[in-house]
Amino acid sequence: MSRIALLNIDTQQSFHHRDYWQEKDIPAFQQAMLGLIEGCESRHVPVVDIFHVDEDGPFSLQSGYVKPMAFLRHRPAVVFQKHVHNAFTDTGLDHWLRERDINQLIICGIRTEQCCETTARVASDLGYAVTFVSEATLTFPMTHKGITLSVDELRHRTETVLAGRFADIKTVAQALESL
């Protein structure tokens, strides 16, 4: 029997205080995220919130920003804090999932190519079946060596490297239909 959980990665107010924050993709992200969470909750799929915590800055507990973004209204089954890019290292998440015989994960949250992708890779390596709902992830343009990748390019890159190796890539509708 397959048991499923939704991992909501880093959808926290800390990001509003980063210099790369932009509102352009927020409405679509919010709609996708809320639809996925509501669909999972209505199917009794537990929602797990994971927050990134640093020692200082907007991701520190002292900042007061390590809390859900204002549009989120769900009550998570459990909340974990992480200090690295993936949601498993030193968090207790793997233990919590295995205690409940959960073997399939749906991943959404912020940043597509960083914490969401890294969590998907680690989850797959730990033996979980992973569904990556990229339309319910958010990221921002990135520049390296003078080349800027757009949000769409980063999303495509993430889907390309995960598909068939670490995760199934699905839309919100496809993920909910498969439950």
Short mmCIF file of all heavy atoms in Angstrom, two decimals, residues 118-167:
data_model
loop_
_atom_site.label_atom_id
_atom_site.label_comp_id
_atom_site.label_asym_id
_atom_site.label_seq_id
_atom_site.Cartn_x
_atom_site.Cartn_y
_atom_site.Cartn_z
N THR A 118 16.83 19.56 -4.56
CA THR A 118 17.75 18.80 -3.71
C THR A 118 16.99 17.83 -2.82
O THR A 118 17.40 16.67 -2.66
CB THR A 118 18.62 19.76 -2.86
OG1 THR A 118 19.28 20.66 -3.74
CG2 THR A 118 19.65 18.99 -2.05
N THR A 119 15.86 18.26 -2.29
CA THR A 119 15.03 17.36 -1.49
C THR A 119 14.51 16.20 -2.33
O THR A 119 14.50 15.05 -1.87
CB THR A 119 13.87 18.14 -0.84
OG1 THR A 119 14.42 19.11 0.06
CG2 THR A 119 12.92 17.21 -0.09
N ALA A 120 14.12 16.47 -3.57
CA ALA A 120 13.65 15.39 -4.45
C ALA A 120 14.74 14.37 -4.70
O ALA A 120 14.50 13.15 -4.66
CB ALA A 120 13.15 15.98 -5.77
N ARG A 121 15.95 14.84 -4.94
CA ARG A 121 17.07 13.93 -5.20
C ARG A 121 17.36 13.06 -3.97
O ARG A 121 17.54 11.84 -4.08
CB ARG A 121 18.32 14.71 -5.59
CG ARG A 121 18.27 15.33 -6.97
CD ARG A 121 19.45 16.27 -7.16
NE ARG A 121 19.48 16.86 -8.47
CZ ARG A 121 20.24 16.43 -9.47
NH1 ARG A 121 21.03 15.40 -9.32
NH2 ARG A 121 20.21 17.05 -10.63
N VAL A 122 17.44 13.68 -2.81
CA VAL A 122 17.74 12.93 -1.58
C VAL A 122 16.60 11.95 -1.28
O VAL A 122 16.85 10.79 -0.93
CB VAL A 122 18.01 13.88 -0.40
CG1 VAL A 122 18.12 13.11 0.91
CG2 VAL A 122 19.28 14.69 -0.66
N ALA A 123 15.37 12.39 -1.44
CA ALA A 123 14.22 11.50 -1.19
C ALA A 123 14.29 10.27 -2.08
O ALA A 123 14.08 9.14 -1.62
CB ALA A 123 12.92 12.26 -1.41
N SER A 124 14.59 10.48 -3.35
CA SER A 124 14.71 9.35 -4.28
C SER A 124 15.83 8.41 -3.83
O SER A 124 15.65 7.19 -3.82
CB SER A 124 14.97 9.88 -5.69
OG SER A 124 15.21 8.81 -6.58
N ASP A 125 16.96 8.97 -3.45
CA ASP A 125 18.07 8.15 -2.99
C ASP A 125 17.73 7.36 -1.73
O ASP A 125 18.27 6.28 -1.50
CB ASP A 125 19.31 9.01 -2.73
CG ASP A 125 20.01 9.44 -4.02
OD1 ASP A 125 19.64 8.95 -5.10
OD2 ASP A 125 20.92 10.29 -3.92
N LEU A 126 16.82 7.90 -0.92
CA LEU A 126 16.38 7.20 0.29
C LEU A 126 15.29 6.17 0.02
O LEU A 126 14.84 5.49 0.94
CB LEU A 126 15.89 8.22 1.33
CG LEU A 126 16.97 9.11 1.95
CD1 LEU A 126 16.33 10.21 2.81
CD2 LEU A 126 17.95 8.28 2.77
N GLY A 127 14.85 6.06 -1.22
CA GLY A 127 13.88 5.04 -1.59
C GLY A 127 12.44 5.51 -1.71
O GLY A 127 11.54 4.69 -1.95
N TYR A 128 12.19 6.78 -1.60
CA TYR A 128 10.83 7.30 -1.75
C TYR A 128 10.51 7.48 -3.23
O TYR A 128 11.36 7.84 -4.03
CB TYR A 128 10.68 8.66 -1.05
CG TYR A 128 10.82 8.58 0.44
CD1 TYR A 128 12.03 8.83 1.06
CD2 TYR A 128 9.72 8.26 1.24
CE1 TYR A 128 12.18 8.77 2.44
CE2 TYR A 128 9.85 8.19 2.62
CZ TYR A 128 11.08 8.44 3.21
OH TYR A 128 11.21 8.36 4.58
N ALA A 129 9.26 7.22 -3.59
CA ALA A 129 8.76 7.59 -4.91
C ALA A 129 8.42 9.07 -4.82
O ALA A 129 7.74 9.50 -3.89
CB ALA A 129 7.52 6.77 -5.26
N VAL A 130 8.90 9.86 -5.78
CA VAL A 130 8.77 11.31 -5.69
C VAL A 130 7.97 11.85 -6.87
O VAL A 130 8.25 11.52 -8.03
CB VAL A 130 10.16 11.98 -5.67
CG1 VAL A 130 10.04 13.50 -5.63
CG2 VAL A 130 10.99 11.46 -4.50
N THR A 131 7.01 12.69 -6.55
CA THR A 131 6.28 13.48 -7.54
C THR A 131 6.69 14.92 -7.34
O THR A 131 6.55 15.46 -6.24
CB THR A 131 4.75 13.32 -7.37
OG1 THR A 131 4.40 11.95 -7.56
CG2 THR A 131 4.00 14.20 -8.35
N PHE A 132 7.19 15.55 -8.39
CA PHE A 132 7.66 16.93 -8.33
C PHE A 132 6.66 17.79 -9.10
O PHE A 132 6.47 17.61 -10.29
CB PHE A 132 9.05 17.03 -8.96
CG PHE A 132 9.77 18.32 -8.66
CD1 PHE A 132 10.56 18.42 -7.52
CD2 PHE A 132 9.68 19.40 -9.51
CE1 PHE A 132 11.25 19.60 -7.24
CE2 PHE A 132 10.36 20.58 -9.24
CZ PHE A 132 11.15 20.67 -8.10
N VAL A 133 6.00 18.69 -8.38
CA VAL A 133 4.97 19.53 -8.98
C VAL A 133 5.58 20.91 -9.21
O VAL A 133 5.44 21.82 -8.40
CB VAL A 133 3.70 19.60 -8.10
CG1 VAL A 133 2.61 20.39 -8.80
CG2 VAL A 133 3.21 18.18 -7.78
N SER A 134 6.26 21.05 -10.34
CA SER A 134 7.03 22.27 -10.57
C SER A 134 6.16 23.51 -10.70
O SER A 134 6.60 24.61 -10.38
CB SER A 134 7.96 22.13 -11.77
OG SER A 134 7.25 21.81 -12.92
N GLU A 135 4.90 23.36 -11.13
CA GLU A 135 4.05 24.55 -11.19
C GLU A 135 3.69 25.06 -9.79
O GLU A 135 3.27 26.20 -9.64
CB GLU A 135 2.80 24.31 -12.04
CG GLU A 135 1.71 23.52 -11.37
CD GLU A 135 0.45 23.40 -12.22
OE1 GLU A 135 -0.01 24.41 -12.79
OE2 GLU A 135 -0.07 22.28 -12.30
N ALA A 136 3.90 24.24 -8.78
CA ALA A 136 3.69 24.65 -7.38
C ALA A 136 5.02 24.88 -6.69
O ALA A 136 5.16 24.71 -5.49
CB ALA A 136 2.85 23.61 -6.64
N THR A 137 6.03 25.23 -7.50
CA THR A 137 7.31 25.68 -6.95
C THR A 137 7.57 27.09 -7.48
O THR A 137 7.00 27.50 -8.48
CB THR A 137 8.49 24.76 -7.34
OG1 THR A 137 8.74 24.83 -8.74
CG2 THR A 137 8.24 23.33 -6.89
N LEU A 138 8.43 27.79 -6.80
CA LEU A 138 8.75 29.17 -7.16
C LEU A 138 10.25 29.35 -7.16
O LEU A 138 10.95 28.79 -6.31
CB LEU A 138 8.12 30.13 -6.14
CG LEU A 138 8.35 31.62 -6.35
CD1 LEU A 138 7.58 32.12 -7.58
CD2 LEU A 138 7.91 32.39 -5.10
N THR A 139 10.73 30.12 -8.11
CA THR A 139 12.13 30.50 -8.12
C THR A 139 12.27 31.87 -8.75
O THR A 139 11.27 32.50 -9.10
CB THR A 139 13.03 29.45 -8.81
OG1 THR A 139 14.38 29.69 -8.42
CG2 THR A 139 12.86 29.44 -10.31
N PHE A 140 13.50 32.30 -8.91
CA PHE A 140 13.81 33.63 -9.42
C PHE A 140 14.97 33.51 -10.39
O PHE A 140 15.76 32.58 -10.29
CB PHE A 140 14.16 34.55 -8.25
CG PHE A 140 13.16 34.49 -7.15
CD1 PHE A 140 13.34 33.65 -6.06
CD2 PHE A 140 11.98 35.23 -7.22
CE1 PHE A 140 12.38 33.55 -5.05
CE2 PHE A 140 11.03 35.15 -6.21
CZ PHE A 140 11.22 34.31 -5.14
N PRO A 141 15.10 34.44 -11.33
CA PRO A 141 16.23 34.37 -12.27
C PRO A 141 17.56 34.30 -11.53
O PRO A 141 17.72 34.86 -10.45
CB PRO A 141 16.11 35.68 -13.06
CG PRO A 141 14.68 36.08 -12.94
CD PRO A 141 14.26 35.62 -11.57
N MET A 142 18.51 33.59 -12.15
CA MET A 142 19.85 33.45 -11.56
C MET A 142 20.89 33.76 -12.62
O MET A 142 20.72 33.37 -13.78
CB MET A 142 20.05 32.02 -11.04
CG MET A 142 19.16 31.66 -9.87
SD MET A 142 19.45 29.96 -9.31
CE MET A 142 21.04 30.15 -8.54
N THR A 143 21.97 34.40 -12.20
CA THR A 143 23.05 34.75 -13.11
C THR A 143 24.35 34.10 -12.65
O THR A 143 24.69 34.14 -11.46
CB THR A 143 23.23 36.29 -13.17
OG1 THR A 143 22.00 36.87 -13.60
CG2 THR A 143 24.34 36.68 -14.14
N HIS A 144 25.05 33.50 -13.60
CA HIS A 144 26.36 32.90 -13.34
C HIS A 144 27.21 33.10 -14.59
O HIS A 144 26.76 32.84 -15.71
CB HIS A 144 26.21 31.40 -13.04
CG HIS A 144 27.48 30.69 -12.79
ND1 HIS A 144 28.29 30.96 -11.71
CD2 HIS A 144 28.11 29.73 -13.50
CE1 HIS A 144 29.36 30.18 -11.75
NE2 HIS A 144 29.27 29.43 -12.83
N LYS A 145 28.42 33.60 -14.39
CA LYS A 145 29.37 33.85 -15.49
C LYS A 145 28.74 34.73 -16.57
O LYS A 145 28.92 34.48 -17.77
CB LYS A 145 29.88 32.55 -16.07
CG LYS A 145 30.73 31.74 -15.11
CD LYS A 145 31.31 30.53 -15.78
CE LYS A 145 32.18 29.76 -14.79
NZ LYS A 145 32.80 28.59 -15.42
N GLY A 146 27.95 35.70 -16.14
CA GLY A 146 27.36 36.64 -17.08
C GLY A 146 26.14 36.14 -17.84
O GLY A 146 25.59 36.85 -18.67
N ILE A 147 25.71 34.93 -17.55
CA ILE A 147 24.53 34.37 -18.22
C ILE A 147 23.40 34.26 -17.20
O ILE A 147 23.57 33.66 -16.13
CB ILE A 147 24.83 32.98 -18.82
CG1 ILE A 147 25.93 33.10 -19.88
CG2 ILE A 147 23.58 32.35 -19.41
CD1 ILE A 147 26.45 31.78 -20.39
N THR A 148 22.27 34.83 -17.55
CA THR A 148 21.10 34.78 -16.67
C THR A 148 20.12 33.74 -17.18
O THR A 148 19.75 33.75 -18.35
CB THR A 148 20.41 36.16 -16.59
OG1 THR A 148 21.35 37.11 -16.06
CG2 THR A 148 19.18 36.10 -15.70
N LEU A 149 19.73 32.85 -16.28
CA LEU A 149 18.67 31.88 -16.59
C LEU A 149 17.36 32.42 -16.04
O LEU A 149 17.29 32.82 -14.87
CB LEU A 149 18.98 30.52 -15.97
CG LEU A 149 20.24 29.80 -16.47
CD1 LEU A 149 20.41 28.47 -15.75
CD2 LEU A 149 20.18 29.59 -17.97
N SER A 150 16.34 32.40 -16.86
CA SER A 150 15.01 32.86 -16.45
C SER A 150 14.35 31.81 -15.57
O SER A 150 14.81 30.66 -15.48
CB SER A 150 14.14 33.10 -17.69
OG SER A 150 13.83 31.86 -18.31
N VAL A 151 13.25 32.18 -14.99
CA VAL A 151 12.46 31.25 -14.18
C VAL A 151 12.05 30.04 -15.03
O VAL A 151 12.16 28.89 -14.60
CB VAL A 151 11.22 31.96 -13.59
CG1 VAL A 151 10.23 30.97 -13.01
CG2 VAL A 151 11.66 32.98 -12.54
N ASP A 152 11.58 30.29 -16.24
CA ASP A 152 11.18 29.19 -17.12
C ASP A 152 12.36 28.28 -17.47
O ASP A 152 12.21 27.06 -17.53
CB ASP A 152 10.53 29.73 -18.39
CG ASP A 152 9.15 30.33 -18.14
OD1 ASP A 152 8.52 29.99 -17.12
OD2 ASP A 152 8.72 31.16 -18.97
N GLU A 153 13.52 28.87 -17.71
CA GLU A 153 14.71 28.06 -18.02
C GLU A 153 15.14 27.23 -16.81
O GLU A 153 15.50 26.05 -16.95
CB GLU A 153 15.85 28.96 -18.49
CG GLU A 153 15.61 29.56 -19.87
CD GLU A 153 16.59 30.66 -20.22
OE1 GLU A 153 17.04 31.41 -19.32
OE2 GLU A 153 16.91 30.77 -21.42
N LEU A 154 15.08 27.82 -15.62
CA LEU A 154 15.44 27.07 -14.41
C LEU A 154 14.45 25.94 -14.16
O LEU A 154 14.85 24.82 -13.81
CB LEU A 154 15.50 28.00 -13.21
CG LEU A 154 16.71 28.94 -13.17
CD1 LEU A 154 16.49 30.04 -12.15
CD2 LEU A 154 17.98 28.16 -12.88
N ARG A 155 13.18 26.21 -14.36
CA ARG A 155 12.15 25.18 -14.16
C ARG A 155 12.37 24.04 -15.16
O ARG A 155 12.31 22.86 -14.79
CB ARG A 155 10.76 25.79 -14.29
CG ARG A 155 9.66 24.78 -14.01
CD ARG A 155 8.29 25.42 -13.99
NE ARG A 155 8.16 26.17 -12.74
CZ ARG A 155 7.85 27.46 -12.67
NH1 ARG A 155 7.61 28.15 -13.75
NH2 ARG A 155 7.76 28.05 -11.50
N HIS A 156 12.61 24.39 -16.42
CA HIS A 156 12.85 23.37 -17.45
C HIS A 156 14.08 22.54 -17.12
O HIS A 156 14.07 21.31 -17.24
CB HIS A 156 13.00 24.03 -18.83
CG HIS A 156 13.33 23.05 -19.91
ND1 HIS A 156 12.40 22.19 -20.44
CD2 HIS A 156 14.50 22.77 -20.52
CE1 HIS A 156 12.98 21.43 -21.35
NE2 HIS A 156 14.26 21.76 -21.41
N ARG A 157 15.15 23.20 -16.68
CA ARG A 157 16.37 22.50 -16.30
C ARG A 157 16.10 21.52 -15.17
O ARG A 157 16.53 20.36 -15.21
CB ARG A 157 17.45 23.52 -15.89
CG ARG A 157 18.76 22.90 -15.49
CD ARG A 157 19.26 23.63 -14.21
NE ARG A 157 20.10 22.78 -13.44
CZ ARG A 157 19.69 22.02 -12.42
NH1 ARG A 157 18.45 22.00 -12.04
NH2 ARG A 157 20.53 21.27 -11.76
N THR A 158 15.38 21.97 -14.14
CA THR A 158 15.07 21.11 -13.01
C THR A 158 14.23 19.92 -13.44
O THR A 158 14.52 18.77 -13.07
CB THR A 158 14.37 21.91 -11.90
OG1 THR A 158 15.29 22.88 -11.39
CG2 THR A 158 13.90 21.01 -10.77
N GLU A 159 13.20 20.17 -14.23
CA GLU A 159 12.36 19.06 -14.71
C GLU A 159 13.18 18.07 -15.53
O GLU A 159 13.03 16.85 -15.38
CB GLU A 159 11.20 19.60 -15.56
CG GLU A 159 10.17 20.34 -14.75
CD GLU A 159 9.07 20.96 -15.61
OE1 GLU A 159 9.19 20.94 -16.86
OE2 GLU A 159 8.10 21.46 -15.02
N THR A 160 14.09 18.58 -16.36
CA THR A 160 14.93 17.73 -17.21
C THR A 160 15.82 16.82 -16.39
O THR A 160 15.92 15.62 -16.67
CB THR A 160 15.77 18.59 -18.17
OG1 THR A 160 14.90 19.37 -18.98
CG2 THR A 160 16.66 17.73 -19.05
N VAL A 161 16.47 17.35 -15.36
CA VAL A 161 17.40 16.52 -14.59
C VAL A 161 16.70 15.59 -13.61
O VAL A 161 17.27 14.57 -13.22
CB VAL A 161 18.48 17.37 -13.87
CG1 VAL A 161 19.32 18.14 -14.88
CG2 VAL A 161 17.88 18.30 -12.85
N LEU A 162 15.47 15.92 -13.22
CA LEU A 162 14.75 15.04 -12.29
C LEU A 162 13.96 13.94 -13.00
O LEU A 162 13.89 12.81 -12.51
CB LEU A 162 13.78 15.86 -11.43
CG LEU A 162 14.38 16.79 -10.38
CD1 LEU A 162 13.27 17.54 -9.65
CD2 LEU A 162 15.26 16.04 -9.41
N ALA A 163 13.36 14.26 -14.14
CA ALA A 163 12.45 13.34 -14.83
C ALA A 163 13.12 12.02 -15.18
O ALA A 163 14.21 11.99 -15.77
CB ALA A 163 11.90 14.00 -16.09
N GLY A 164 12.47 10.93 -14.81
CA GLY A 164 12.97 9.61 -15.15
C GLY A 164 14.16 9.15 -14.33
O GLY A 164 14.62 8.03 -14.47
N ARG A 165 14.67 10.03 -13.46
CA ARG A 165 15.81 9.67 -12.63
C ARG A 165 15.46 9.74 -11.15
O ARG A 165 15.72 8.83 -10.40
CB ARG A 165 16.99 10.59 -12.92
CG ARG A 165 17.55 10.48 -14.31
CD ARG A 165 18.55 11.62 -14.57
NE ARG A 165 18.89 11.71 -15.97
CZ ARG A 165 18.20 12.37 -16.88
NH1 ARG A 165 17.11 13.02 -16.55
NH2 ARG A 165 18.58 12.39 -18.14
N PHE A 166 14.92 10.88 -10.77
CA PHE A 166 14.64 11.14 -9.36
C PHE A 166 13.17 11.35 -9.05
O PHE A 166 12.75 11.22 -7.90
CB PHE A 166 15.43 12.38 -8.88
CG PHE A 166 16.91 12.24 -9.01
CD1 PHE A 166 17.58 12.78 -10.09
CD2 PHE A 166 17.64 11.55 -8.06
CE1 PHE A 166 18.95 12.66 -10.22
CE2 PHE A 166 19.02 11.42 -8.18
CZ PHE A 166 19.67 11.97 -9.26
N ALA A 167 12.38 11.74 -10.05
CA ALA A 167 10.98 12.09 -9.78
C ALA A 167 10.13 12.00 -11.04
O ALA A 167 10.64 12.07 -12.15
CB ALA A 167 10.92 13.52 -9.23
#
